[in-house]
Amino acid sequence: MNHRTLLREGRQSLRKRLLTTLLVPLTGLLIFNSLITYFGALIYANHVHDESLLNDTLTLVQMMATESPDGGVSPQAQFLLEYEPGGHNYFSVFSAKRGFIAGNPVLQPPGKLFPDGDDSDQPRLYDVQIEKRALRAASLVMTNTRDPSDQLLVTVAETLRDRHQEARQILFLSIPAQTLLLLVAFVLVWLGVRKGLRQLDPLTMQIASREHDLAPIGDENVPAEILPLTRTIDGLFGRLRGMLALHERFIADAAHQLRTPLAGLSVHAERAQASSDPETIRDALNHIERLIQRANRTSSQLLALTRAQTTEHEAGDTEPLNLATVIPELVGQRVHEALAADVDLGYEGPSGPLWIDGDRHRLQELLDNLIDNGLRYAGRGSMITVSLAQEGNEICLAVEDNGPGVPPAWLERLGERFFRVPGAEEAGSGLGLAIVQRIAEWHDGRARYMTGNEGGLRVEIVFPIMQKP
């Protein structure tokens, strides 16, 4: 199924999302750039018009000094000063002695008309408002050539219309170019995204070509942005390989362990069918019952071993457990069974709490296998002691019996699957201590096997201690 078919089904498109994610900022960038262009053009237009306004003021001052010594302005000059195609410009002339002389009497700078000590030969610029119109004005104080003791204030002002119009013209001229640049950038981005996504095609084909291959994809020829995804897939493949390996091992173990009891069942069933002797039939049925019990125990232990070999921890699998409370409770559940087997089962431990982060059900299975091992191999009249002790930052759970024990040469192999000490008379599957060891490892602990103080077997499970929650 290709990407076009997926799009028709309403699937989200990574290409569309990338382009949308890029188009929105690019559009915003165009608007922002247009604003910058407009205000930049307005600043430039203000600068040009301010220069022109200063020149007009100086020209008017020179004209009045040479052509109108009395401070008046000719009608022709007045028309030129006030003319504006789309509005109206203003000028005014004030005398320090006579007051208003010509132009618009409202047009005057803020503050004093003739500030003290103002002998500058350059006009000063300021903003003013007349008839609800915003104006830009320039004023200059000159000496009245007809009366040297008198001063004239000459002011020229213009509306801001031309300035904004020029800024808009610059903006309208730049928008097509910016829009074209944006479209070209968008096309380049689209082509880049399309080409970039094509780099995923070999990886897609590589994964699609697999049938039952769960080997890691690896990091070779994988883009850096995709590495987290491929490594997550590799992690998933690894967990699947582990699960499949557990299933295959369970099938192999089940076939290995159940072959003998099933064969025995077949033999004794044939014996019972072929014989008419009640004793022979009863003996065959007794053998069948024992073989069924053995098969049930073996299948239960195989399932327990499979669960114990699962090393992954999920949320909620563990909880704070006080072994000083949990272990005596679990031991107490086996006392009646021990009494029936004529075995003295006891517990020794501290009164204070000993906390671990663990799973109560797995701990019960671990302790049950250790006690079962003692009940099976220590024999009647023996003693089994379960003890707890703190060793630095660790907690040691020990189960010791005073039975015949295990020769030192075989102690290191006690945690192996299906291993049974040569010469052992009691029947067993060889899975009990393997389950114990796997459960200990699941709790980040370890199992130790040694000879007890009275010659029997001592098994120690060491857990990392947990501070009180």
Side-chain angles (χ1 to χ4, degrees), residues 385-400:
T385 302
V386 180
S387 62
L388 271 179
Q390 181 175 347
E391 300 177 352
N393 293 326
E394 295 178 325
I395 299 174
C396 178
L397 168 64
V399 178
E400 180 178 349

Side-chain angles (χ1 to χ4, degrees), residues 252-297:
D253 293 346
H256 177 270
Q257 289 298 307
L258 296 178
R259 184 184 298 115
T260 300
L262 290 177
L265 286 173
S266 177
V267 170
H268 291 293
E270 291 176 358
R271 279 183 58 203
Q273 290 177 345
S275 176
S276 57
D277 182 17
E279 289 296 326
T280 301
I281 295 175
R282 186 179 299 107
D283 180 68
L285 292 177
N286 287 335
H287 278 86
I288 289 174
E289 183 180 7
R290 288 195 296 272
L291 289 171
I292 291 175
Q293 292 175 354
R294 178 181 172 184
N296 286 334
R297 175 174 173 78

Side-chain angles (χ1 to χ4, degrees), residues 80-385:
L80 293 175
L81 286 171
E82 295 180 346
Y83 173 74
E84 182 188 16
H88 192 73
N89 286 339
Y90 303 84
F91 81 98
S92 66
V93 179
F94 286 86
S95 170
K97 292 183 176 181
R98 294 181 291 163
F100 174 72
I101 296 176
N104 192 319
V106 182
L107 179 60
Q108 51 184 291
K112 290 184 177 181
L113 291 179
F114 298 92
D116 297 335
D118 187 4
D119 55 355
S120 174
D121 59 351
Q122 291 296 324
R124 60 189 180 99
L125 294 165
Y126 55 90
D127 295 319
V128 69
Q129 188 169 359
I130 297 178
E131 300 174 359
K132 297 183 180 181
R133 285 188 176 185
L135 304 177
R136 185 70 166 166
S139 295
L140 180 63
V141 177
M142 62 175 288
T143 301
N144 191 340
T145 55
R146 186 174 182 180
D147 183 3
S149 63
D150 187 19
Q151 288 184 319
L152 299 178
L153 176 64
V154 180
T155 303
V156 178
E158 67 177 8
T159 59
L160 304 180
R161 175 180 172 277
D162 289 344
R163 301 169 183 239
H164 290 285
Q165 185 175 3
E166 290 175 7
R168 286 194 295 269
Q169 288 176 350
I170 295 175
L171 173 63
F172 293 151
L173 289 174
S174 65
I175 285 180
Q178 294 178 9
T179 305
L180 179 61
L181 182 62
L182 175 64
L183 292 176
V184 172
F186 182 76
V187 171
L188 292 177
V189 168
W190 181 77
L191 293 175
V193 169
R194 183 179 181 183
K195 183 177 180 181
L197 291 178
R198 283 181 178 176
Q199 295 183 4
L200 301 179
D201 291 345
L203 179 62
T204 304
M205 295 176 62
Q206 176 187 349
I207 298 176
S209 63
R210 297 186 176 195
E211 293 184 359
H212 305 289
D213 183 11
L214 296 178
I217 299 172
D219 297 346
E220 187 178 357
N221 298 326
V222 177
E225 293 79 6
I226 309 299
L227 275 179
L229 175 61
T230 57
R231 288 174 178 173
T232 303
I233 294 175
D234 285 345
L236 175 61
F237 283 173
R239 292 191 291 273
L240 288 175
R241 288 197 303 273
M243 293 178 60
L244 291 176
L246 285 176
H247 293 165
E248 292 174 359
R249 183 179 297 174
F250 174 79
I251 293 172
D253 293 346
H256 177 270
Q257 289 298 307
L258 296 178
R259 184 184 298 115
T260 300
L262 290 177
L265 286 173
S266 177
V267 170
H268 291 293
E270 291 176 358
R271 279 183 58 203
Q273 290 177 345
S275 176
S276 57
D277 182 17
E279 289 296 326
T280 301
I281 295 175
R282 186 179 299 107
D283 180 68
L285 292 177
N286 287 335
H287 278 86
I288 289 174
E289 183 180 7
R290 288 195 296 272
L291 289 171
I292 291 175
Q293 292 175 354
R294 178 181 172 184
N296 286 334
R297 175 174 173 78
T298 299
S299 60
S300 299
Q301 287 199 308
L302 285 171
L303 291 173
L305 179 62
T306 301
R307 289 193 300 269
Q309 290 177 141
T310 304
T311 57
E312 294 292 333
H313 288 214
E314 297 182 0
D317 280 352
T318 60
E319 60 179 333
L321 297 175
N322 181 10
L323 293 187
T325 302
V326 174
I327 297 301
E329 293 178 359
L330 298 180
V331 173
Q333 297 175 9
R334 304 298 302 273
V335 170
H336 295 291
E337 186 177 348
L339 291 175
D342 193 20
V343 174
D344 182 9
L345 176 62
Y347 168 77
E348 296 178 358
S351 57
L354 296 173
W355 293 92
I356 70 166
D357 187 29
D359 177 18
R360 183 185 179 93
H361 299 293
R362 284 183 169 88
L363 284 177
Q364 181 174 6
E365 198 162 24
L366 177 147
L367 189 60
D368 284 345
N369 275 281
L370 290 176
I371 294 176
D372 285 344
N373 193 72
L375 294 176
R376 183 179 298 273
Y377 294 104
R380 301 183 67 85
S382 61
M383 183 173 61
I384 300 175
T385 302

